[in-house]
Amino acid sequence: MIRPIATTREMTGMPTGRLAVWWLIASEIVIFGGVLGSYLMHRIGHKEWAAASAHTNTWAGAFNTLVLLTSSLSAVLAHNAALRKDGKRAAKLLWFTILGGGIFLVVKSIEWTGEIKAGYTITANNFWSFYYTAAGLHGLHVIAGMIVMMFVAADAAKGKELQRVENAGLYWHFVDLVWIFLFPLLYIAK
Amino acid sequence: MSDTAHAPASTDAAHGHDAHAHPDSFYIRIWGILLVMLVVSVAGPELAHRIVSNETVAFVIVLFTAFGIAIVKAYMVVKNFMHIGVEKKYVGYILITMLVLMALMIGGVGPDVLRHEGHRWVNQAAKDYKLPGDTGHHGDAYGEPHGDAKH
Amino acid sequence: MSSAAAHAEHDHAHDHAHHAHHDEGFIKKYLWSTDHKMIAMQYLFTGMAMALIGGFTVYAFRMQLAFPGMSVPGYGRVTATDYNALVTTHGSVMIFWVAMPVLIAALGNYLIPLMIGCDDMVFPRLNRLSYQLFLLSSIVLIASFYVPGGAFGGAWTSYPPLSAKAEYSLTGLGSSLWLFAVALEFAAFLLGGINFITTVMNSRAPGMKMFDVPIVVWMIIIASILFMASVGPLIAGAVMLLFDQQLGTGFFDPAKGGDPVLWQHLFWFFGHPEVYVVLLPAMGIVAEIITVFSRKKLFAYKTVLYTAIGTGVLSFFVWAHHQFIAGIDPRMANVFSVTTLLISIPVAEMVFVYIGTLYGGSIRLTTPMLWALAFIAEFLLGGVTGIFLGASGADIYFHDTYFVIAHFHYTFFPIAFIGSFAAITYWFPKMFGKMMNETWGKVHFWGTIIPFNAIFIPLFLLGARGDHRRIYDYRHFPDLMKSGMQDLRVFATLALLVLLAFQVVFLVNLFYSIFRGEKASANPWNANTLEWQAPSPPPHGNFPQGLPNVYRGPYEYSHPDRQDDYWPQTEPDAAKS
């Protein structure tokens, strides 16, 4: 497919890809807002949930926060490299970011396995239902981000489509932001 | 609004958007600050009940350290990593509008879901609800220990 | 139903072999196309095919209501479970698989690049993916008709616990497939919306400032933004409902600490803006048509734009008027009552502007113009009946009666059908390079409008007299079988049969004209907007003479400085002929 002229126009002064990612992020804010808002209302209304949330593994959650923050760092460093037209370095840093996502998912799997074995399944009670749903939805977005970044990194290593490094990074930062709020909401026992 | 370029968008330099480009060390410093805040946000709730006996004060400490810091961290990521400051202004407006809509939703739905009684109604089922596996002994105050101090 | 094969056939028909495409094979050209016009046709024909399903379902359940217990020709006996599935399917299909794909996806895809003067959408492959997701959603929905238990029967609003528990809805598998189909459809429109918004923001022709953009394009963009901003919580809710259905979680189950009213709120937080998502494009279509066929500029472009935006904003503040008697906090009911009554103001303002546009114009009563005028009249009736429902006190009586059904059909039918017919008859020459037959167009018009009113005016009366909706057999309610009420139901149903019969006229006209219609010029209506500067139909790349520049707004009709009563946007000022 030949790229249409439409894609290259910039009446707003902002490249099309970046404009689109901002709109994507906007739509994701309301999706996660819906999940987290529902959770928040239930949580505040059901004070007894604190007993259930006491069983979440705060250290795993904190470690995962660290992992995602670090992967956000490598994403923005990748952007910096792309600005300097250093595609190879950008690709390397993107792979580092993807690795961060992978570690995040591994830690989560271990965490969840433990919790499920202890009987805290998705149907144990409503706190756990929200826990798995919210974190699961977030996890799906992590996976999607990782896949996209793989494609972007492959192109960047060849010096192609370097502007996509920033766009993929923006999406990744958003995924990090959701986790920044998920962590206290789900893990900090009250 | 003029048509700026037909050139492919890969040359970001043409747009002046990258006049802000910081050296790598800047971002590493931001990351360091974020880590410190992470530590505080975990330590706060852990220690709050141990150092302060007043329940309300403990709750406020938890609120500030867990959620207050989350907001600050989010702001730092949005400003420094996502460069919202040098982005077109309306991008920020769009994102804030979405957040406002979420607040609106919670505001409109809250009275029904959040509370279990109101002016002339009582949600008895919600009040009677007991957490499965709960021994039945639980108070209403925030932060009241439930017998499991270990996370 | 192989809609893929069906539309491929139709597309083959209209895509004349005489175009210089870069040599594309059949698959690439029809099934795997990234050209916005082809994708638009795919949405259009899929939407029309789904309309047949929507029409068939209403035929079956109205026959049951008019002649209860009797076997419906072409369907058989309608059992209670059947009835629930039929009404659910009718509502869901008409909103999600007819109105949205035709008004937003098909028209947006077709018109936007042409009207803003570029060669395609900014993300053609994403566009193709959006259609494929949409097609998949239609297939999943149709599949749900054939699984054990049959199609979902919990109403298009899918309230738990009816929708959450298979032992209540009796359609366990169908309910999850329905949810999955709706979720896929949402994903398709989210992606499509991002494509549209980015295209209009960035790819306008040189010289096309914000206020030079045709109103229909603005409306589709505002609708896309509204959709994007409102659908999130429902996506969250749909995931939660799916888990309730399949995993046994209790998000909406009070016995497990959940709250069924939460679903209602999540649904309607989306559901109300959704009606404006479909309304605005329809109003945009009407704006384009009435300016062309009264040879007059839009009475107040900026007013229409700002009131549309205002309507969109306000639409987020009214959702709980669907829940007045659901047990919500009564103080919220007061708030939502006020906001609901307020929202009628901007919409009325738009109607006033349209009337102002028509006033003193040189009216040409072509078929598209008839549809546009009918839209204004019928929608107005629908809108004013909404005022009754917006007042929470009155709604205590009217809620869930046929009064509500008549109200929303007086709004939805103009939106989904009158709007679509207006659009199709108006842009047919551009899309297919042929003219539709005017006489049969007018026959179809009157054969639709008169029966339409004959169906729904009785329903207002029935509702006011106490007919509850979603009732399978009124013989169970002796009070509702008195004083001629059953006669009204029969009358409405017979009118429906007439309405359905006349749609054959449209289909024959449509397909006959595609193959054998009179050849159309590039600009048969002498209109200003950019799509009429492209050939009919436009080739791949849209403007073989080069992408246009724009010199003025879209509604410069009967300009005093001109001899011609129209002034295309692409003509430079110097050319005065």
Side-chain angles (χ1 to χ4, degrees):
Chain A
M1 185 206 76
I2 306 166
R3 178 170 295 174
I5 295 172
T7 315
T8 58
R9 283 182 168 175
E10 285 180 26
M11 281 288 253
T12 59
M14 197 192 311
T16 302
R18 203 166 80 225
L19 182 59
V21 172
W22 282 119
W23 279 108
L24 176 67
I25 291 174
S27 71
E28 295 279 15
I29 291 178
V30 278
I31 295 177
F32 280 105
V35 182
L36 295 183
S38 304
Y39 167 72
L40 192 62
M41 288 187 282
H42 274 297
R43 179 68 193 265
I44 296 177
H46 285 280
K47 301 195 166 75
E48 65 274 13
W49 282 13
S53 79
H55 294 289
T56 56
N57 189 336
T58 312
W59 300 110
F63 178 72
N64 265 349
T65 312
L66 168 67
V67 166
L68 279 187
L69 285 175
T70 311
S71 71
S72 259
L73 170 66
S74 59
V76 75
L77 291 178
H79 171 218
N80 245 13
L83 282 180
R84 295 192 292 266
K85 300 271 170 297
D86 190 347
K88 288 211 175 352
R89 180 172 156 79
K92 213 170 60 175
L93 287 161
L94 274 182
W95 277 106
F96 199 77
T97 310
I98 294 169
L99 177 67
I103 295 174
F104 175 90
L105 291 172
V106 166
V107 171
K108 194 141 269 321
S109 319
I110 297 173
E111 205 190 341
W112 280 13
T113 311
E115 280 156 0
I116 290 171
K117 279 221 194 96
Y120 304 122
T121 58
I122 196 172
T123 46
N125 63 56
N126 260 3
F127 167 79
W128 289 104
S129 304
F130 270 107
Y131 172 85
Y132 287 110
T133 305
L137 200 61
H138 176 259
L140 282 178
H141 284 80
V142 169
I143 295 173
M146 286 166 65
I147 294 175
V148 168
M149 281 191 291
M150 286 181 201
F151 283 101
V152 174
D155 275 340
K158 298 182 213 145
K160 296 202 302 195
E161 309 281 12
L162 289 175
Q163 80 284 0
R164 290 181 180 169
V165 175
E166 176 180 19
N167 299 338
L170 281 176
Y171 174 81
W172 191 256
H173 294 308
F174 173 73
V175 168
D176 184 20
L177 281 174
V178 173
W179 181 258
I180 285 175
F181 286 101
L182 262 182
F183 173 56
L185 278 171
L186 292 178
Y187 286 85
I188 308 294
K190 292 200 184 141
Chain B
M1 220 175 286
S2 59
D3 185 16
T4 43
H6 287 286
S10 53
T11 46
D12 266 293
H15 311 305
H17 167 86
D18 315 304
H20 69 281
H22 295 285
D24 283 1
S25 54
F26 169 79
Y27 296 114
I28 297 175
R29 245 182 300 133
I30 300 285
W31 174 74
I33 299 173
L34 288 169
L35 289 197
V36 169
M37 289 201 286
L38 171 62
V39 170
V40 173
S41 71
V42 177
E46 284 280 318
L47 302 175
H49 296 298
R50 301 207 194 135
I51 40 179
V52 171
S53 49
N54 185 322
E55 286 305 328
T56 326
V57 175
F59 171 61
V60 169
I61 293 179
V62 169
L63 209 60
F64 269 91
T65 49
F67 293 94
I69 284 189
I71 294 175
V72 175
K73 266 200 266 171
Y75 175 71
M76 289 191 70
V77 169
V78 174
K79 179 162 184 304
N80 296 302
F81 286 0
M82 296 172 90
H83 302 115
I84 199 94
V86 295
E87 194 56 273
K88 301 269 170 196
K89 274 216 299 268
Y90 53 77
V91 171
Y93 295 153
I94 292 169
L95 299 179
I96 290 182
T97 304
M98 298 300 171
L99 289 172
V100 166
L101 285 176
M102 288 299 92
L104 170 69
M105 188 198 84
I106 293 176
V109 180
D112 288 332
V113 174
L114 192 55
R115 309 175 47 198
H116 299 311
E117 64 184 352
H119 195 45
R120 283 189 213 169
W121 57 276
V122 167
N123 185 342
Q124 201 56 46
K127 290 187 127 180
D128 291 341
Y129 175 71
K130 296 256 175 299
L131 201 69
D134 193 356
T135 55
H137 164 64
H138 53 85
D140 263 314
Y142 273 108
E144 180 172 304
H146 292 263
D148 15 329
K150 185 76 188 77
H151 295 291
Chain C
M1 161 139 358
S2 60
S3 32
H7 75 249
E9 241 176 79
H10 307 319
D11 296 340
H12 185 66
H14 82 262
D15 192 90
H16 325 263
H18 352 294
H19 289 307
H21 293 273
H22 23 272
D23 244 11
E24 299 171 303
F26 179 86
I27 301 273
K28 179 88 211 297
K29 196 148 74 162
Y30 297 111
L31 300 182
W32 215 252
S33 175
T34 56
D35 185 304
H36 69 102
K37 300 182 292 296
M38 183 63 67
I39 294 173
M41 289 295 115
Q42 291 171 335
Y43 273 113
L44 180 63
F45 284 97
T46 311
M48 290 204 295
M50 296 302 275
L52 294 178
I53 296 180
F56 181 70
T57 49
V58 67
Y59 158 74
F61 73 73
R62 280 289 341 159
M63 289 295 281
Q64 157 63 16
L65 286 173
F67 311 110
M70 299 183 57
S71 177
V72 174
Y75 184 90
R77 289 284 296 274
V78 175
T79 63
T81 323
D82 284 350
Y83 185 87
N84 295 341
L86 287 168
V87 300
T88 305
T89 304
H90 173 74
S92 316
V93 162
M94 289 304 200
I95 297 174
F96 293 132
W97 281 278
V98 178
M100 286 183 72
V102 173
L103 291 171
I104 301 173
L107 285 179
N109 260 306
Y110 198 87
L111 295 176
I112 287 176
L114 284 168
M115 282 181 138
I116 66 173
C118 64
D119 55 342
D120 207 319
M121 289 286 175
V122 291
F123 301 123
R125 286 170 298 186
L126 189 69
N127 210 7
R128 177 183 64 207
L129 176 67
S130 302
Y131 174 71
Q132 289 167 336
L133 283 175
F134 173 75
L135 182 64
L136 182 62
S137 78
S138 324
I139 293 172
V140 170
L141 185 77
I142 293 171
S144 77
F145 301 163
Y146 298 105
V147 297
F152 176 49
W156 87 283
T157 49
S158 183
Y159 283 7
L162 177 65
S163 60
K165 293 206 151 89
E167 64 259 32
Y168 297 156
S169 68
L170 306 179
T171 55
L173 189 49
S175 1
S176 296
L177 285 177
W178 180 88
L179 260 184
F180 188 49
V182 172
L184 281 172
E185 199 256 10
F186 285 172
F189 277 86
L190 269 177
L191 294 177
I194 292 176
N195 218 343
F196 287 2
I197 295 169
T198 316
T199 303
V200 173
M201 283 179 81
N202 251 1
S203 307
R204 281 168 280 144
M208 184 177 267
K209 303 186 286 298
M210 303 254 275
F211 296 137
D212 296 327
V213 173
I215 284 286
V216 69
V217 172
W218 265 119
M219 294 295 200
I220 294 176
I221 295 309
I222 298 171
S224 300
I225 297 175
L226 278 187
F227 179 79
M228 178 191 289
S230 63
V231 84
L234 182 56
I235 292 179
V239 173
M240 297 196 280
L241 184 60
L242 188 65
F243 286 177
D244 272 13
Q245 287 173 351
Q246 294 298 333
L247 300 179
T249 51
F251 290 109
F252 305 117
D253 186 348
K256 298 185 181 166
D259 193 340
V261 171
L262 175 63
W263 167 268
Q264 295 187 18
H265 281 293
L266 293 176
F267 182 88
W268 288 114
F269 185 80
F270 159 73
H272 197 84
E274 163 71 4
V275 316
Y276 296 96
V277 166
V278 291
L279 170 64
L280 292 182
M283 296 209 75
I285 293 164
V286 171
E288 299 304 321
I289 294 175
I290 59 174
T291 48
V292 169
F293 293 111
S294 47
R295 312 312 285 166
K296 212 165 155 260
K297 76 192 297 182
L298 194 63
F299 183 75
Y301 179 104
K302 289 188 187 170
T303 303
V304 172
L305 185 56
Y306 295 144
T307 47
I309 294 173
T311 306
V313 170
L314 260 183
S315 71
F316 281 99
F317 290 81
V318 302
W319 82 88
H321 67 228
H322 300 271
Q323 301 164 255
F324 279 144
I325 65 169
I328 61 171
D329 188 328
R331 290 163 298 178
M332 297 304 288
N334 295 342
V335 171
F336 281 103
S337 220
V338 171
T339 52
T340 304
L341 298 177
L342 277 178
I343 202 173
S344 59
I345 296 176
V347 182
E349 176 64 24
M350 279 196 271
V351 173
F352 292 149
V353 169
Y354 288 2
I355 295 175
T357 306
L358 292 164
Y359 187 80
S362 171
I363 310 280
R364 316 232 170 121
L365 291 177
T366 56
T367 304
M369 184 59 154
L370 287 175
W371 286 115
L373 295 174
F375 176 91
I376 297 173
E378 305 285 11
F379 185 79
L380 201 56
L381 287 178
V384 298
T385 52
I387 308 270
F388 291 80
L389 299 167
S392 51
D395 191 61
I396 294 175
Y397 180 76
F398 284 126
H399 180 82
D400 261 354
T401 64
Y402 267 78
F403 194 92
V404 177
I405 293 185
H407 157 72
F408 69 67
H409 280 87
Y410 259 93
T411 48
F412 262 123
F413 186 90
I415 291 170
F417 286 95
I418 298 182
S420 297
F421 291 139
I424 293 173
T425 51
Y426 178 59
W427 276 293
F428 184 94
K430 182 56 52 186
M431 292 177 177
F432 300 105
K434 303 266 176 36
M435 301 298 285
M436 282 183 93
N437 185 298
E438 267 294 298
T439 310
W440 288 111
K442 291 182 168 133
V443 167
H444 170 237
F445 171 77
W446 292 109
T448 303
I449 293 296
I450 296 174
F452 163 68
N453 288 288
I455 297 170
F456 291 105
I457 291 176
L459 263 49
F460 275 123
L461 299 173
L462 286 169
R465 289 191 201 170
D467 257 14
H468 223 259
R469 54 188 290 205
R470 298 168 175 158
I471 298 292
Y472 147 75
D473 188 340
Y474 283 103
R475 294 177 303 181
H476 299 158
F477 298 88
D479 276 347
L480 296 178
M481 295 295 282
K482 297 191 191 144
S483 48
M485 287 179 78
Q486 186 61 18
D487 291 338
L488 284 176
R489 293 184 199 113
V490 173
F491 180 76
T493 304
L494 295 177
L496 170 69
L497 295 179
V498 175
L499 177 77
L500 291 175
F502 270 93
Q503 302 320 301
V504 175
V505 173
F506 171 74
L507 289 173
V508 170
N509 191 359
L510 181 76
F511 288 110
Y512 184 85
S513 306
I514 287 175
F515 290 93
R516 301 272 181 84
E518 189 192 309
K519 203 155 185 329
S521 62
N523 195 354
W525 311 123
N526 284 348
N528 288 344
T529 40
L530 291 183
E531 77 274 25
W532 302 106
Q533 304 306 314
S536 294
H540 195 53
N542 292 345
F543 297 97
Q545 68 273 36
L547 294 182
N549 292 325
V550 162
Y551 299 94
R552 68 190 57 79
Y555 301 116
E556 298 301 327
Y557 293 101
S558 304
H559 198 277
D561 296 345
R562 284 273 286 186
Q563 195 173 350
D564 274 346
D565 67 352
Y566 70 109
W567 203 349
Q569 289 186 277
T570 60
E571 255 184 53
D573 279 317
K576 295 194 186 185
S577 47

